[in-house]
Amino acid sequence: MEDQEILAKFADPAARNVAFNQLVRKYQSKIYWHVRKMVIDHDDADDLTQDVFVKVWNHLGNFRQDASLYTWIYRIATNECLNFLSSKRRKFFLPLHDVAAELTQKVEADPGLAGDEIELRLQKAILRLPDKQRLVFNMKYYDEITYEQMADITGTSVGALKASYHHAVKKIEQYVNEESHLH
């Protein structure tokens, strides 16, 4: 079902629940995996995905359609992830590498996420990136989102996003090369 139809239905109080269920069905899986790649833990990702859709429900009436619906939902999900990760650090007074280490253990313990040896190495490398770089890398590499869409989602310039992606790729290559010399 097209986004425009969903939005038109949502505007009608009698059809609102049906429209929202269609929206959730259409985007839930994409949003879940976007969140999961950032927070790693299934339960955290599940909770955050629910939080995202609660926010979507609360604010969809004010959605001005200056971006696509998907971009708008993605922006909410992205902010939820970044807030979650930064509050997790504050709560446990964890420096960046401790959170990365904790998430790495979760990746290693989850056969659904780990994949093969190379994918596992890539995942570990991605987890060492600062959150914003990790976000940009995930969006480009896994979700194949254009820089223009990313700029809408993150409120960051295309030039800055390209630079972030470039830095992320360099750091990942460096880490994967170091790791392969150890094995």
Side-chain angles (χ1 to χ4, degrees):
M1 174 173 252
E2 289 303 307
D3 289 348
Q4 294 309 69
E5 293 174 69
I6 291 174
L7 289 167
K9 268 191 183 174
F10 191 82
D12 170 8
R16 184 161 290 161
N17 287 346
V18 172
F20 188 71
N21 287 337
Q22 287 166 329
L23 178 143
V24 171
R25 257 202 310 281
K26 183 172 181 181
Y27 291 116
Q28 188 170 26
S29 173
K30 280 180 174 172
I31 294 300
Y32 169 82
W33 283 106
H34 169 57
V35 171
R36 177 88 186 256
K37 284 193 296 282
M38 286 300 290
V39 302
I40 306 303
D41 183 73
H42 164 72
D43 292 334
D44 290 342
D46 222 28
D47 291 347
L48 283 171
T49 301
Q50 285 184 9
D51 293 347
V52 167
F53 284 104
V54 167
K55 287 203 164 150
V56 168
W57 169 263
N58 290 333
H59 299 286
L60 194 59
N62 308 326
F63 174 59
R64 289 187 313 284
Q65 299 183 38
D66 50 353
S68 75
L69 186 58
Y70 177 58
T71 301
W72 181 73
I73 295 170
Y74 217 95
R75 185 186 308 152
I76 294 171
T78 297
N79 290 334
E80 289 293 304
C81 288
L82 293 174
N83 292 340
F84 172 82
L85 290 168
S86 97
S87 78
K88 185 173 180 150
R89 280 196 192 99
R90 276 198 310 275
K91 203 182 294 167
F92 300 107
F93 302 105
L94 293 176
L96 188 65
H97 64 265
D98 285 1
V99 172
E102 182 194 330
L103 295 178
T104 298
Q105 286 171 346
K106 287 182 177 173
V107 168
E108 287 172 340
D110 188 326
L113 278 175
D116 60 17
E117 176 70 22
I118 293 164
E119 180 63 22
L120 179 60
R121 243 185 255 167
L122 175 62
Q123 286 295 329
K124 285 180 177 178
I126 293 168
L127 288 172
R128 296 170 74 111
L129 297 171
D131 294 344
K132 294 262 169 63
Q133 281 180 14
R134 187 150 61 101
L135 190 68
V136 171
F137 183 83
N138 285 345
M139 286 197 272
K140 180 109 181 79
Y141 183 82
Y142 289 108
D143 300 337
E144 296 171 0
I145 290 179
T146 66
Y147 286 116
E148 287 70 24
Q149 285 174 304
M150 267 190 243
D152 282 345
I153 291 165
T154 61
T156 308
S157 74
V158 168
L161 290 165
K162 285 181 176 174
S164 275
Y165 184 73
H166 177 76
H167 290 309
V169 169
K170 282 268 172 277
K171 286 179 185 170
I172 288 169
E173 283 172 356
Q174 192 179 351
Y175 175 78
V176 170
N177 287 338
E178 285 168 12
E179 278 288 290
S180 55
H181 291 310
L182 298 174
H183 294 288

